[in-house]
Amino acid sequence: VEQFLTWMNDQKGFSPATISAYRTDLLQFEEWLHRDQHSLARPGELEKYHFQDYSAHLFHEGQARSSIGRKLSALRSLFRYLMKMKKIDKNPAKLVRNPKRELRHPTALNVDQMFTLLDEASVESGGAAGFDGSRQAEQAVTDREHAGHTRDLALAELLYGSGLRISEALDLDVDDVDPASGFIRVMGKGSKERIAPLSDTSVRALFLWLRVRALIAPPAEKALFVGNRGKRLNRRQAARILDEIRKSAGLPQHLSPHTLRHTFATASLEHGMDVKTLSTIIGHVSSSTTLNIYAHVTSEMQRTAAAKIDRGIAKSEAAQEVDAAPRIPPPSTFQPYKGQRRKPGTGCISQINDHLWEGRYSPTVSGKCVARNVYACTEEECEKKLAQLIREMKQEIVAMKAHPKAG
């Protein structure tokens, strides 16, 4: 098991949190196998029914279907590795399917709740906003407290404004962040780097935090977010921070860091962002993943569109009631740049936020669409990067077509 986990870390670049979860899942399966005198040390003895019985055992224990699926996924990964290393000559784990997942919508705050939460965090951090570095030593305790509140606001704004996973936010170092640029580089799952936009309020909150961070963090500490003892903030501390803000704001429901990510995604879809763009920003492997998770949002958007069509055609009383209903205010005044119709083969560009432009070129090669993106702070810079990308991709396509002839 440890050899497999080392391989996952070194070869696959999995995060420490994923490695830890895999270790726990595999050790739990090992403990269960001991009941029948089996062991992962002798994987060739195991059959398909061992995994099916284990899945049933977890179900009867009351484990969530998503948790059962994750544990089975860890086992399948282990046995694929054993096949690759020629430790076994058959893989019974690949024949076992995950249980159907419950149809649950991710929890998200509405706009009023989100603004209430951020307003509360902003009030708490108010003392740090005026810090100028010249206060006397006897006031250091108060300043450290204000600095902590400023950190809390920056973390909340970043999770909501950019839709980051909590692990991505906590893994950030100071050198990874340049608020003035309007975006940050994030190392996501599988060590895949992406660019995430910063909202205007995130930029201000990060500037304030960086201004007072030295009151908590020692000079040698690289972590962007640190706890009160000066070490990198961990997931449990971050969850506690957000829950304290929730209590102060008077919000009733439980609030986890992932709730803010879901709130960002839900608000983005509701205010016009397409699924593919959202998928890129929040770091999903594919657009289908995003669509599956937020299907309830897109369905509601379809119903709203249908109501608009009915209103335009029939001018019915029901449509007037829809018009009279209170409208949810957008989270910001930013309007995406839609651009003009471009010539075929020149790609396309779009404005993601006030500080970030995306260029995209997606030619069809051998019947498959091959898409690549570039990012820049201005439209002009994005056009230059896109033109360079198109030239490089066209050269690659020519080389690919010429290669079979050469062979």
Side-chain angles (χ1 to χ4, degrees):
V1 171
E2 290 303 323
Q3 289 178 353
F4 163 66
L5 296 175
T6 301
W7 179 80
M8 293 287 281
N9 179 67
D10 296 342
Q11 301 297 323
K12 296 295 185 180
F14 279 33
S15 69
T18 301
I19 297 295
S20 176
Y22 269 48
R23 177 180 286 108
T24 299
D25 293 338
L26 295 176
L27 292 179
Q28 286 176 352
F29 182 61
E30 173 74 2
E31 183 179 351
W32 181 80
L33 285 175
H34 284 171
R35 299 180 181 184
D36 294 327
Q37 307 302 313
H38 289 292
S39 172
L40 285 173
R42 302 185 301 278
E45 298 177 357
L46 301 182
E47 301 290 345
K48 176 182 176 181
Y49 72 85
H50 288 107
F51 301 94
Q52 292 174 326
D53 289 350
Y54 183 58
S55 178
H57 163 73
L58 295 173
F59 182 80
H60 290 305
E61 271 196 341
Q63 295 263 359
R65 295 183 182 184
S66 57
S67 298
I68 297 173
R70 190 198 69 224
K71 294 176 187 297
L72 294 177
S73 177
L75 291 170
R76 284 193 293 268
S77 296
L78 170 63
F79 275 74
R80 281 197 300 268
Y81 165 79
L82 293 174
M83 286 287 291
K84 182 181 181 69
M85 296 293 108
K86 301 187 185 305
K87 303 288 187 181
I88 54 176
D89 54 13
K90 63 177 181 179
N91 183 359
K94 74 176 183 180
L95 303 174
V96 182
R97 295 182 179 180
N98 287 355
K100 280 190 175 182
R101 298 187 65 173
E102 304 97 330
L103 185 60
R104 293 188 302 176
H105 300 327
T107 303
L109 302 179
N110 61 38
V111 174
D112 290 338
Q113 290 173 325
M114 194 65 236
F115 284 173
T116 298
L117 184 79
L118 295 178
D119 285 347
E120 179 62 31
S122 181
V123 169
E124 292 286 343
S125 69
F131 180 74
D132 61 6
S134 62
R135 297 182 181 179
Q136 299 299 318
E138 59 265 26
Q139 293 179 305
V141 174
T142 302
D143 290 335
R144 281 176 59 86
E145 182 180 352
H146 288 157
H149 292 317
T150 304
R151 172 205 60 206
D152 301 347
L153 173 63
L155 178 61
E157 288 283 5
L158 186 60
L159 293 174
Y160 170 64
S162 300
L164 300 190
R165 300 178 179 93
I166 185 61
S167 59
E168 294 169 345
L170 300 183
D171 285 345
L172 288 172
D173 292 335
V174 173
D175 294 340
D176 296 329
V177 180
D178 177 16
S181 70
F183 58 88
I184 54 174
R185 292 189 180 275
V186 180
M187 190 63 69
K189 287 186 175 180
S191 297
K192 293 181 180 178
E193 187 180 75
R194 72 177 190 277
I195 293 177
L198 292 172
S199 66
D200 293 339
T201 50
S202 294
V203 170
R204 288 194 292 271
L206 285 170
F207 268 127
L208 284 174
W209 165 233
L210 291 173
R211 189 178 174 188
V212 299
R213 175 181 171 277
L215 291 171
I216 300 177
E221 179 56 60
K222 295 181 179 180
L224 173 62
F225 293 110
V226 296
N228 294 334
R229 295 183 179 180
K231 300 293 184 181
R232 187 181 294 272
L233 203 65
N234 61 44
R235 297 166 71 103
R236 183 173 298 179
Q237 290 171 318
R240 187 163 57 244
I241 285 170
L242 293 177
D243 201 52
E244 287 298 324
I245 298 175
R246 174 195 66 81
K247 291 177 181 177
S248 297
L251 297 179
Q253 72 259 45
H254 170 70
L255 177 69
S256 72
H258 219 61
T259 303
L260 301 191
R261 174 174 163 88
H262 287 318
T263 302
F264 165 82
T266 300
S268 297
L269 288 173
E270 287 177 342
H271 292 96
M273 184 178 289
D274 64 275
V275 172
K276 193 169 188 64
T277 299
L278 176 62
S279 177
T280 300
I281 290 176
I282 64 179
H284 280 165
V285 175
S286 67
S287 301
S288 61
T289 303
T290 310
L291 195 58
N292 288 337
I293 295 175
Y294 299 103
H296 64 292
V297 180
T298 53
S299 297
E300 181 62 33
M301 292 166 64
Q302 290 173 354
R303 286 193 290 271
T304 302
K308 289 182 179 179
I309 293 173
D310 290 341
R311 185 167 65 245
I313 294 175
K315 304 291 184 182
S316 63
E317 293 182 2
Q320 294 175 8
E321 292 177 3
V322 172
D323 283 336
R327 297 180 181 273
I328 299 176
S332 72
T333 58
F334 170 75
Q335 295 294 325
Y337 171 81
K338 297 182 179 179
Q340 299 178 348
R341 185 180 296 274
R342 299 166 67 94
K343 293 181 180 179
T346 60
C348 63
I349 65 169
S350 58
Q351 188 176 6
I352 294 178
N353 69 5
D354 292 331
H355 310 283
L356 184 62
W357 293 74
E358 178 187 61
R360 182 178 181 84
Y361 183 54
S362 51
T364 301
V365 182
S366 301
K368 295 183 179 180
C369 180
V370 181
R372 293 184 190 172
N373 298 348
V374 292
Y375 297 90
C377 298
T378 65
E379 181 182 5
E380 182 180 2
E381 182 185 0
C382 191
E383 287 282 12
K384 291 179 180 178
K385 287 188 174 182
L386 179 59
Q388 177 65 25
L389 173 67
I390 293 174
R391 286 193 295 270
E392 292 174 355
M393 290 187 69
K394 285 183 176 180
Q395 291 173 359
E396 291 177 11
I397 293 170
V398 170
M400 289 170 59
K401 291 181 177 179
H403 184 69
K405 296 180 181 179

